[in-house]
């Protein structure tokens, strides 16, 4: 009951029951550009569901009630189970129902692009439950190297019926998989792995080993199986390690504890030990790193997609709030400097969406036999480190600025209701895991050593040639820089410059002229160190109108 002390006014309303797809013009245009035949009805349905009050409630609860480890039962037996809030399971079931995991591998051309856009939309609802979903999507190309296991697991990994039960894989309606590379002494440099795999015979799944050792980061330990790196006499090898063995025995994997993380609270990230755990070889002995990187390359795609989704969510919240909140006699969204900030954020968000979805198309085309010239495969190799590096690097900076648009309310979480704070805590993760920024930039240098890479970049940027003088100058300078570049210390600069060129070229093709012009004017001419530095004369109104969910619903 009100005590009559004051009325509450000039607070914005919750951003809820918004169709996140129909409200996102940038995503729709990028999706159409990369896959003209996309299923619009599927996206309208997904967008409504992801923006619904019910799904937002699940997202809040799954984060507020973080997973708990049950290491032992009350009699002292090891249990090694993680218990989740029912909302976590509801979200995961929705992710599988919307085919965000292994489904695209057995679908028609375009399925990877649709899945990528759907992944972005889901991220706007809740990103951290997508960790096992992403790994289950990414595992297929690596797992195919063991045809016997793949034959038995592929259907479960592509099933849209999530099954949370801890049962042997044959008894489940849907399966998920994770990955174990990082150990205490090294994550980027996995060659430092000490976990040992001892040969144990052969069976229907091929060469069987016993793994003894540990993993320092082992996310989603309730997945049904993992690809794990361990040392064999031939060197680091990739092995398939199920949590429950085909005969129903629980594998010798002990969950030591769950990490207490800055964000990503709905997802369980554990430390584990293997005590002669049973695993089967995937690919060639001693070739574990390239084998598991076939998986890592796709989770890197998801880092870029996820960050683009988080950016879009943060932008929507900023536009929504500033469109309602008044200060100094008018709405914040009408204040000239706030307009500059909002428009600049909108440019960044659309550029991230464009680059991430273009990478998804490169994956799709190169997987679906639509790449006779090999251009898409080359682009996929180049864009993976570029997009992962640059989009994820911009993410935290973006979240801070979007949070500031909400003032003090942006910094307040209030038992998970303050979604901006959750976004802010989640953002740095995509930049760190699956290869931190420097590792991505170094990987770009490696990728550029292959033949025809500079030509692939030139071809990709060609549609924007002569559209903006500054872009032409930057392209010429960057191509010169690539030629003969070996200096590691300059790799980040190169990754940034290439990302900006590719983003500009994409914006030219499927964003508005106002977006393209402002992007070129602001990203190439001056160091974009702070948002809100768009030069005088920028058509900020046109950019904001295009980005604003209020225009679309
Ligand atoms: C929440 C969370 C969940 C995770 N889940 C998993 C999981 O499920 N499975 C898994 O295997 N791993 C997982 N990881 C681990 C993650 O992939 C690693 O943390 C990451 O790869 C970095 O490895 P590291 O922590 O050992 O850091 P390091 O390798 O020590 O790197 C530290 C810093 O040094 C930089 N660096 C390294 N080498 C160079 C170089 N040559 N030149 C310049 N700079 C360099 C890196 O870019 C980084 O910034 C998870 C991490 C987090 C935070």
């Amino acid at each position: 009951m009100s005590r009559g002390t004051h009325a509450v006014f000039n607070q914005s309303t919750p951003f809820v029951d918004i169709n996140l797809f129909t409200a996102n013009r940038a995503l729709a245009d990028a999706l159409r550009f990369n896959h003209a035949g996309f299923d619009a009805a599927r996206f309208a349905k997904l967008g409504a569901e992801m923006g619904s009050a019910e799904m937002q409630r699940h997202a809040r609860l799954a984060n507020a009630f973080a997973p708990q480890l049950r290491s032992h039962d009350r009699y002292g037996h090891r249990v090694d189970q993680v218990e989740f809030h029912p909302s976590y399971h509801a979200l995961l079931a929705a992710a599988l129902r919307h085919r965000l995991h292994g489904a695209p591998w057995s679908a028609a051309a375009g399925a990877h692009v649709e899945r990528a856009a759907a992944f972005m939309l889901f991220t706007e609802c809740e990103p951290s439950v997508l960790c096992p979903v992403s790994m289950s999507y990414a595992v297929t190309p690596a797992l195919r190297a063991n045809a016997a296991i793949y034959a038995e697991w592929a259907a479960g990994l592509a099933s849209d019926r999530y099954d949370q039960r801890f049962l042997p894989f044959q008894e489940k309606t849907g399966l998920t998989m994770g990955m174990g590379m990082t150990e205490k002494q090294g994550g980027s440099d996995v060659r430092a792995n000490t976990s040992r795999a001892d040969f144990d015979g052969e069976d229907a799944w091929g060469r069987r080993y016993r793994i003894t050792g540990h993993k320092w980061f082992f996310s989603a330990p309730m997945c049904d199986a993992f690809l794990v790196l361990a040392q064999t006499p031939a060197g680091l090898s990739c092995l398939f390690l199920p949590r429950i063995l085909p005969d129903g025995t629980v594998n010798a994997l002990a969950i030591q504890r769950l990490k207490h993380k800055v964000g990503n609270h709905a997802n369980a990230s554990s430390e584990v030990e293997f005590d002669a755990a049973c695993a089967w070889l995937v690919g060639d002995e001693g070739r574990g790193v390239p084998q598991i990187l076939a998986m890592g390359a796709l989770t890197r795609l998801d880092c870029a997609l996820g960050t683009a989704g988080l950016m879009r969510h943060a932008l929507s919240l900023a536009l929504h709030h500033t469109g309602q909140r008044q200060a100094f006699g008018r709405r914040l969204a009408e204040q000239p400097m706030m307009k500059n900030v909002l428009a600049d954020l909108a440019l960044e968000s659309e550029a991230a969406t464009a680059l991430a979805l273009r990478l998804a198309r490169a994956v799709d085309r190169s997987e679906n036999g639509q790449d006779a010239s090999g251009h898409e495969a080359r682009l996929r190799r180049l864009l993976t480190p570029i997009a992962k590096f640059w989009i994820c690097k911009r993410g935290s900076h973006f979240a801070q600025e979007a949070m500031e648009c909400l003032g003090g309310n942006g910094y307040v979480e209030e038992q998970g209701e303050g979604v901006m704070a959750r976004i802010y805590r989640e953002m740095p993760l995509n930049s760190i895991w699956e290869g931190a920024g420097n590792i991505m930039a170094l990987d770009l240098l490696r990728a550029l050593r292959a033949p025809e890479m500079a030509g692939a970049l030139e071809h990709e940027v060609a549609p924007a040639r002569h559209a903006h003088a500054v872009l032409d100058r930057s392209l010429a300078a960057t191509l010169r820089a690539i030629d003969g570049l070996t200096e590691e210390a300059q790799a980040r600069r190169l990754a940034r410059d290439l990302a900006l060129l590719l983003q500009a070229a994409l914006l030219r093709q499927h964003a508005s002229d106002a977006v393209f012009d402002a992007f070129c004017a602001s990203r190439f001419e001056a160091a974009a160190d702070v948002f809100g530095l768009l030069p005088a004369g920028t058509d900020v109104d046109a950019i904001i109108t295009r980005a604003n969910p209020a225009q679309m619903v």
Side-chain angles (χ1 to χ4, degrees), residues 392-546:
C392 299
K393 271 280 160 268
R394 296 290 280 167
S396 292
H397 188 32
F398 188 105
Q400 188 280 325
E401 196 67 64
M403 178 183 270
E404 197 164 318
C405 293
L406 272 64
N409 282 0
Y411 197 67
V412 173
E413 193 145 7
E414 216 58 76
Q415 293 167 354
E417 280 186 13
V419 179
M420 192 67 96
R422 198 159 76 218
I423 295 172
Y424 181 77
R425 288 189 284 94
E426 187 77 14
M427 275 292 196
L429 180 55
N430 280 333
S431 192
I432 293 173
W433 68 5
E434 304 301 346
N438 289 352
I439 299 303
M440 289 302 95
L442 290 172
D443 189 49
L444 172 63
L445 288 190
R446 258 192 310 279
L448 283 167
R449 280 187 214 128
E452 299 180 54
M453 289 305 195
L457 288 166
E458 233 177 318
H459 179 75
E460 196 59 21
V461 179
R465 271 212 146 140
H466 311 308
H468 205 292
V470 71
L471 189 149
D472 288 338
R473 280 200 298 277
S474 175
L475 176 62
T478 307
L479 289 173
R480 273 197 307 276
I482 290 176
D483 203 17
L485 182 85
T486 50
E487 207 184 325
E488 284 188 8
Q490 295 306 313
R492 272 186 180 227
R493 178 183 295 276
L494 183 65
R496 179 202 62 181
D497 291 350
L498 286 172
L500 294 176
L501 281 168
L502 291 159
Q503 287 181 323
L506 290 164
L507 294 178
R508 171 72 183 152
Q509 293 169 85
H510 59 75
S512 65
D513 288 348
V515 167
F516 171 70
D517 289 340
F519 189 84
C520 290
S522 60
R523 296 322 194 248
F524 295 112
E525 299 248 80
D529 49 357
V530 175
F531 285 105
L533 302 185
L534 298 179
T538 302
D539 192 349
V540 290
D541 289 323
I543 297 167
I544 292 171
T545 301
R546 176 173 169 81

Side-chain angles (χ1 to χ4, degrees), residues 131 135 179-189 217-220 261 264 267 269 429 432-439 442 488:
C131 172
M135 294 190 287
M179 70 201 301
M181 297 187 285
T182 310
E183 297 188 358
K184 295 184 180 75
Q185 68 282 359
S188 307
D189 187 4
F217 282 94
F218 199 74
S219 285
K261 297 173 287 185
N264 193 248
N267 180 35
S269 296
L429 180 55
I432 293 173
W433 68 5
E434 304 301 346
N438 289 352
I439 299 303
L442 290 172
E488 284 188 8

Side-chain angles (χ1 to χ4, degrees), residues 21 56 114 141 245-246 527 532:
F21 181 68
Q56 290 194 18
E114 286 207 13
L245 299 174

